[in-house]
């Protein structure tokens, strides 16, 4: 409590605090303080048109950030907060445009982590918090990942437990009708749709390049969530995703591995147990960082099924990590 309370006072004074959440670790700053938010972009090396999620400690604080609370927004907050759901709403004027990358909307989340909730509550302000990694590198799911990326660049790193979920929240845009999922997460469009009793669509950009056969030609579709256009989650090593029937994938990975080892390259493999999607989400970023620490030259990753909602969310990250470098077998 003492450490959280110290961290909260650092936030109040305009400092930067990295903190655990159930999705990934976040890098927080007072969302209402433009200078503090500017420091977050600087510490992460993040492009300034990539907006941040604003974190609150109780659902009723949503009204501080948005003037328009539709019944559907209230239902989502009731059903899924605290939890891995980020809701895009119209923003109030008080929310500085540096937080929202110049958009007239704001992304809001109430994280399911007692440390995060206590920190936000004690700071007394909403907390802008992107993932606590250097921009472009895999998201941090352990305190040691945050230390590796941000030690010396931020004021406080709160060490908590490993992130329970391991991939970022689902981002749903509630300013359009029907609502649209801009970033997939463990809460799928179907789950959200059932809760609000209306259809929820997937941003067509999510069905683009590499994501199975869905929309091979849709590489031109412009993502609505600005963050989605950047290089993301990338390990230092070259990475290739092998997609297809399980048995063939295993064989192809084996073949590519020995072929590359013969020419002197160090090869790492990411092959999750079949259908263990939740576990894959939990381990994915940590595996990328582990393999980078082992200084492998090439990472071969087996694709998961896109048909499973969590599998789809992990594949969204895996494809970006690999720069959409896919071998189909
Ligand atoms: P991160 O902060 O790394 O968890 O990423 C936050 C994600 O939410 C990024 O992909 C942003 O582009 C997206 N995001 C944040 N605010 C908005 C907004 N107002 N409209 C659309 N997407 C947003
Ligand atoms: Mg991020």
């Amino acid at each position: 409590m003492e450490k959280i309370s110290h961290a909260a006072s650092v936030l109040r004074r305009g400092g930067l605090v990295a903190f655990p959440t159930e999705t990934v670790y976040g890098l927080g700053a007072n969302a209402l303080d433009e200078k503090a938010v500017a420091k977050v972009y600087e510490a992460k090396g993040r492009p300034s048109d990539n907006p941040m999620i604003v974190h609150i400690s109780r659902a009723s604080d949503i009204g501080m950030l948005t003037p328009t609370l539709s019944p559907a927004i209230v239902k989502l907050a009731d059903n899924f907060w605290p939890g891995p759901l980020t809701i895009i709403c119209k923003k109030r004027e008080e929310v500085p445009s540096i937080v929202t990358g110049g958009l007239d909307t704001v992304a809001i989340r109430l994280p399911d982590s007692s440390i995060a909730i206590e920190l936000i509550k004690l700071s007394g302000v909403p907390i802008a918090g992107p993932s606590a990694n250097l921009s472009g590198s895999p998201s941090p799911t352990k305190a040691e990942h945050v230390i590796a990326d941000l030690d010396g660049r931020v004021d406080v790193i709160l060490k908590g437990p490993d992130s329970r979920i391991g991939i970022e929240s689902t981002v749903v845009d509630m300013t359009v009708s029907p609502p649209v999922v801009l970033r997939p997460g463990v809460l799928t469009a179907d789950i959200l749709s059932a809760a609000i009793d209306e259809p929820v669509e997937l941003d067509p950009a999510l069905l683009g390049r590499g994501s199975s056969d869905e929309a091979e030609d849709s590489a031109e579709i412009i993502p609505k969530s600005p963050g989605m256009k950047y290089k993301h989650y990338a390990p230092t090593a070259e990475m290739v995703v092998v997609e297809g029937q399980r048995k063939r994938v295993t064989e192809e990975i084996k073949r590519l591995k020995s072929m590359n080892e013969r020419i002197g390259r160090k090869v790492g493999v990411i092959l999750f147990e079949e259908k263990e999607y939740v576990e894959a989400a939990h381990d994915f970023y940590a595996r990328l960082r582990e393999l980078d620490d082992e200084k492998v030259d090439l990472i071969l990753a087996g694709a998961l099924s896109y048909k499973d909602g969590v599998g789809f969310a992990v594949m969204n990250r895996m494809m970006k990590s690999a720069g959409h470098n896919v071998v189909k077998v």
Side-chain angles (χ1 to χ4, degrees), residues 88-139:
I88 308 280
C89 304
K90 282 270 166 235
K91 87 170 187 76
R92 274 197 193 279
E93 242 171 68
E94 292 85 334
V95 182
S97 77
I98 185 169
V99 173
T100 63
L103 299 171
D104 61 359
T105 54
V106 57
I108 310 170
R109 185 166 101 87
L110 170 50
D112 187 15
S113 147
S114 51
I115 297 177
I117 291 176
E118 204 53 45
L119 174 71
I120 300 162
K121 197 184 289 169
L122 290 176
S123 75
V125 288
I127 299 298
S131 49
N133 53 301
L134 289 174
S135 191
S137 73
S139 300

Side-chain angles (χ1 to χ4, degrees), residues 167-245:
I167 58 171
E168 301 84 347
S169 55
T170 304
V171 175
V172 64
D173 186 351
M174 296 303 291
T175 68
V176 291
S177 181
V180 176
V181 167
L182 301 180
R183 177 172 75 184
V186 297
L187 292 173
T188 62
D190 287 345
I191 296 175
L192 304 183
S193 167
I196 60 176
D197 213 10
E198 61 174 298
V200 173
E201 292 184 348
L202 281 181
D203 185 348
L206 295 176
L207 304 173
R209 260 187 312 167
S211 67
S212 198
D213 324 313
E214 297 282 350
E216 296 268 317
D217 317 325
S218 63
E220 299 306 312
I221 294 173
I222 296 162
K224 287 193 205 69
S225 179
M228 297 195 309
K229 68 175 182 268
Y230 295 107
K231 175 176 167 244
H232 249 97
Y233 323 127
T236 310
E238 181 193 346
M239 182 167 164
V240 177
V241 176
V242 183
E243 188 177 304
Q245 201 211 334

